[in-house]
């Protein structure tokens, strides 16, 4: 790293935090069976919250964390979030009961929510505006590849060591990042904002987004139109409405609604919600197909999927540079077309007979191009042109939209797969899921193409 630029060093360092947070969204999936075996069958119901609690707490905390980072310092927020995440990981690894493990996952998620918007806000000032799309492309690709690689890494750790290693692996990386980060990172904040927080707005944001995510992740158990689900959804809608009203009246709100007057922010929020909804659904459905239909082991299914994330990682930075020249909307539209057409191709060609090398592998590489063009370009369009005081807030808004979209997408396809098992053709659930994800991803590309507008000269000046 001796000859790296300062910007490259900051990008590499902050990407470690993003990698760990994204990895822990999916890495626990393959460890669930081993965890349940250790704690006993009576704890299985409690353990389902190992996934839900993390997703709910992470999504709920992002907006408030973004505001705190802008007001009190992005370096402080990043290092604090990383420390909390490491503490949560250690507590997870040594949890004596299922309930303690779920509580430790909440601690992990809180740390992740604090460090994520701060990490990107630390990267942006290190690059000139014309190079930010490429830098954010790499930052976004790290998160996407980490999430997609979760089953691979988790399978290896569980098979080689135990489920405890899934959490302990975070500790040395966090320690390295904390040591280097304390020396390398420069403190920055919104100097115009007071060092206070709109606690009412923060409470409404956390509870509103948290209740919405709770309804989504529990829809499989409750039913989408059950009384409980509708009540929780109604409460979340009311809280989010009150949050919007509060943001419109507070002197220094948790979320500055003026951000939505920037076309690139609005386009990225809508497109990012839809794309992430389809992308995480696709990871879930493909993993289920490999394990339940082709009977791949957890480790093998993870290895089988890895060519897609590798392709996406290689494409992300070049896609950011192309987007800077021809427009983010065009790049996302093409990427969405590649990914959605790949989904439809899978649906039309896959059978119960294994055709990995001739069919599945080429499709993963093909769709990897689409993922690389979309996920990082959407992130860069949301944040590359933000005014400096709103770096973390804008990043938090983008990540909140994506996290809620991911939770909704996985809940939808999970319900479709379960419903199909009760019919004469259980495989139809997979085909319906691929059709749904293809439609959602294609729509997200069209939304980006239609809504995205390049920043004006005044907006570019504010970004500098």
């Amino acid at each position: 790293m001796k000859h790296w630029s300062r910007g490259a060093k900051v990008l590499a360092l902050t990407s470690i935090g993003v990698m760990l947070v994204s990895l822990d969204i999916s890495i626990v999936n393959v460890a669930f069976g081993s965890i349940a075996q250790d704690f006993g069958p009576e704890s299985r119901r409690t353990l389902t919250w190992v996934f839900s609690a993390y997703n709910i707490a992470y999504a709920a905390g992002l907006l408030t964390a973004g505001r705190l980072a802008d007001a009190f310092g992005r370096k402080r927020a990043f290092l604090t979030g990383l420390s909390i995440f490491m503490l949560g990981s250690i507590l997870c690894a040594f949890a004596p009961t299922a309930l303690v493990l779920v509580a430790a996952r909440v601690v992990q998620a809180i740390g992740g929510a604090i460090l994520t918007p701060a990490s990107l806000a630390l990267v942006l000032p290190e690059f000139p505006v014309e190079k930010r799309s490429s830098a954010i492309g790499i930052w976004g690709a790290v998160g996407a590849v980490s999430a997609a690689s979760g089953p691979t890494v988790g399978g290896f750790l569980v098979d080689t060591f135990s489920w405890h290693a899934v959490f302990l692996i975070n500790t040395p990386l966090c320690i390295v990042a904390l040591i280097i980060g304390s020396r390398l990172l420069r403190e920055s904040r919104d100097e115009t904002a007071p060092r206070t927080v709109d606690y009412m707005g923060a409470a409404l944001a956390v509870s509103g987004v948290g209740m919405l995510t709770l309804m989504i992740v529990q829809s499989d158990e409750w039913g989408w139109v059950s009384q409980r689900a509708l009540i929780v959804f109604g409460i979340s809608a009311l809280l989010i409405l009150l949050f919007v009203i509060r943001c419109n009246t507070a002197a220094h709100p948790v979320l500055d609604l003026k951000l939505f007057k920037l076309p690139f922010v609005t386009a990225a929020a809508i497109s990012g919600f839809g794309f992430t909804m389809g992308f995480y659904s696709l990871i879930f459905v493909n993993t289920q197909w490999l394990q339940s239909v082709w009977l791949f082991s957890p480790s093998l299914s993870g290895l089988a999927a890895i060519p897609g994330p590798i392709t996406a990682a290689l494409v992300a930075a070049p896609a950011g540079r192309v987007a800077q020249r021809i427009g983010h909307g065009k790049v996302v539209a093409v990427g969405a077309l590649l990914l959605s057409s790949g989904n439809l191709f899978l649906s039309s060609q896959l059978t119960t007979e294994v055709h990995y090398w001739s069919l599945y592998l080429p499709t993963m590489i093909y769709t990897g191009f689409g993922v690389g063009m979309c996920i990082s370009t959407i992130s860069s369009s949301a944040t590359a042109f933000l005014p400096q005081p709103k770096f973390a807030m804008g990043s938090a808004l983008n990540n909140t939209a994506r996290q809620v979209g991911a939770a909704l997408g996985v809940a939808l396809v999970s319900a479709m797969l379960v419903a199909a098992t009760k019919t004469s053709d259980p495989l139809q659930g997979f085909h319906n899921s691929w059709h749904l994800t293809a439609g959602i991803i294609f729509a997200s590309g069209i939304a980006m193409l239609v809504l995205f507008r390049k920043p004006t000269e005044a907006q570019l000046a504010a970004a500098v």
Side-chain angles (χ1 to χ4, degrees):
M1 290 181 63
K2 184 177 179 180
H3 301 293
W4 286 17
S5 68
R6 176 180 168 77
K9 292 177 182 178
V10 172
L11 176 59
L13 174 68
T14 55
S15 293
I16 292 176
V18 176
M19 177 190 72
L20 294 175
V21 173
S22 301
L23 197 63
D24 269 62
I25 293 175
S26 58
I27 195 173
V28 182
N29 291 348
V30 294
F32 183 79
S34 298
I35 296 172
Q37 190 174 13
D38 265 15
F39 287 128
E42 69 280 356
S43 65
R44 198 170 185 89
R45 185 176 181 84
T46 303
L47 286 174
T48 59
W49 282 90
V50 167
F51 312 108
S52 303
Y54 187 92
N55 287 326
I56 293 168
Y58 181 61
L62 281 166
L63 284 175
T64 302
R67 174 70 185 87
L68 289 171
D70 281 335
F72 293 99
R74 289 122 188 190
K75 176 181 177 179
R76 180 189 296 182
F78 179 77
L79 297 179
T80 300
L82 201 59
S83 300
I84 294 172
F85 184 85
M86 181 175 68
L87 172 62
S89 299
I90 295 171
L91 292 174
C92 285
F94 296 105
T97 66
L99 191 60
V100 173
L101 178 59
V102 171
R105 285 285 281 173
V106 173
V107 175
Q108 260 194 320
I110 292 171
I114 294 172
L115 76 86
T116 300
S119 68
L120 187 55
L122 288 166
V123 169
L124 292 176
E126 302 294 340
F127 293 87
V129 174
E130 63 273 12
K131 292 186 178 181
R132 284 182 189 166
S133 289
S134 296
I136 299 168
I138 296 171
W139 183 90
V142 168
V145 171
S146 299
S149 303
T152 307
V153 178
F156 170 78
L157 291 173
V158 172
D159 290 344
T160 307
F161 303 103
S162 69
W163 66 264
H164 304 276
V166 167
F167 300 107
L168 284 177
I169 192 66
N170 296 331
T171 304
L173 292 171
C174 286
I175 292 173
V176 170
L178 284 167
I179 293 172
I180 298 175
S182 62
R183 300 175 181 176
L184 174 67
L185 299 175
R186 295 170 179 163
E187 189 59 280
S188 66
R189 57 174 62 89
D190 178 3
E191 299 298 344
T192 65
R195 305 296 176 257
T196 58
V197 178
D198 176 19
Y199 292 105
M200 177 63 73
L204 291 170
V206 170
S207 55
V209 176
M211 293 288 277
L212 176 61
T213 315
L214 170 66
M215 187 277 294
I216 292 170
V217 299
Q218 290 298 109
S219 59
D220 218 14
E221 180 182 334
W222 295 348
W224 285 97
V225 292
S226 67
Q227 183 180 20
R228 189 186 304 184
L230 291 176
I231 289 173
V232 172
F233 177 76
I235 294 172
S236 70
L238 176 61
L239 290 170
I240 291 172
L241 175 61
L242 292 173
F243 171 67
V244 172
I245 294 172
R246 178 70 181 182
C247 289
N248 204 35
T249 56
H252 298 280
V254 171
L255 176 64
D256 187 352
L257 297 181
K258 292 177 183 177
L259 285 174
F260 288 105
K261 293 182 179 180
L262 303 173
F264 49 87
V265 171
T266 302
I270 295 173
S271 181
F273 173 84
F275 177 80
T276 312
M277 181 178 172
F279 173 65
Y280 279 90
S281 302
L282 186 58
I283 295 174
F284 179 81
V285 173
N286 288 356
T287 302
Q288 293 300 310
W289 176 274
L290 292 173
Q291 293 185 8
S292 62
V293 180
W294 283 359
L295 303 180
F296 283 20
S297 68
S299 298
L300 185 58
S301 64
L303 289 173
I306 206 66
I310 291 175
T311 304
L314 294 174
V315 169
R321 291 192 291 269
V322 173
Q324 195 75 35
R325 291 198 302 269
I326 69 172
H328 292 67
K330 294 175 183 177
V331 173
V332 171
V334 173
L337 179 61
L338 292 177
L339 187 52
S340 58
S341 60
N343 279 13
L344 294 176
F345 180 75
L346 278 179
S347 181
S348 66
Q349 298 298 315
L350 286 186
T351 65
T352 54
E353 186 177 352
V354 178
H355 288 289
Y356 177 76
W357 296 105
S358 61
L359 178 60
Y360 195 85
L361 174 62
T363 307
M364 287 298 98
I365 294 173
Y366 174 81
T367 55
F369 275 91
V371 173
M373 295 175 71
C374 286
I375 199 160
S376 55
T377 309
I378 293 172
S379 291
S380 65
S381 68
T383 53
F385 312 115
L386 285 171
Q388 193 274 344
K390 307 299 180 187
F391 279 166
M393 185 184 291
S395 173
L397 172 62
N398 177 46
N399 279 286
T400 301
R402 290 167 55 177
Q403 185 64 18
V404 173
L408 178 59
V410 173
L412 281 172
V413 295
S414 176
M416 293 172 75
L417 294 180
V418 171
T421 61
K422 302 173 183 177
T423 67
S424 58
D425 183 13
L427 297 186
Q428 189 59 42
F430 289 96
H431 298 292
N432 292 341
S433 297
W434 279 315
H435 294 160
L436 175 67
T437 54
I440 292 170
I441 290 168
F442 183 74
S444 73
I446 296 300
M448 192 68 177
L449 184 63
V450 172
L451 297 176
F452 180 80
R453 295 289 182 273
K454 287 186 176 182
T456 63
E457 291 298 326
Q459 291 164 352
L460 278 175
V464 175

